[in-house]
């Protein structure tokens, strides 16, 4: 995680670093993540909160760069229980219309 933080700090557009970071955090906190129907563990939630601040800085630096936006999508999908994600998705208008 520290390695990817350095790579992302050097270049926010490094998609590989963002992707590896998501995999590293998942592996690091895998035993702590609770069942699929509930929210993630508190330590995983704290890591996600710190990373959301990292993503915010990247998005403000270059809003057109897709790498932090894709990572943000992973954060949201990891931080919220699936039932809440489904509820939110049902409230969105259909694509293309």
């Amino acid at each position: 995680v520290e390695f990817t933080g350095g790579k992302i700090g050097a270049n926010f557009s490094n998609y590989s670093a963002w992707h590896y970071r998501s995999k590293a955090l998942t592996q690091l906190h895998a035993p702590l993540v609770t069942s699929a129907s509930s929210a993630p563990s508190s330590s995983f939630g704290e890591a996600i909160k710190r990373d959301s601040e990292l993503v915010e800085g990247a998005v403000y630096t270059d809003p057109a760069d897709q790498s932090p936006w894709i990572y943000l999508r992973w954060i949201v999908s990891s931080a919220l229980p699936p039932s809440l994600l489904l509820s939110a998705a049902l409230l969105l208008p259909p694509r293309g219309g």
Side-chain angles (χ1 to χ4, degrees), residues 4 8 15 22-23 28 32 52 60 66 70 85 88 91-92:
T4 59
I8 291 166
Y15 174 77
S22 71
K23 298 302 180 189
L28 190 64
L32 304 174
S52 65
Y60 279 120
Q66 293 183 11
I70 293 168
L85 284 174
L91 296 173
L92 295 174

Side-chain angles (χ1 to χ4, degrees), residues 4-19:
T4 59
K7 292 296 183 184
I8 291 166
N11 179 6
F12 284 130
S13 296
N14 188 339
Y15 174 77
S16 295
W18 290 105
H19 176 73

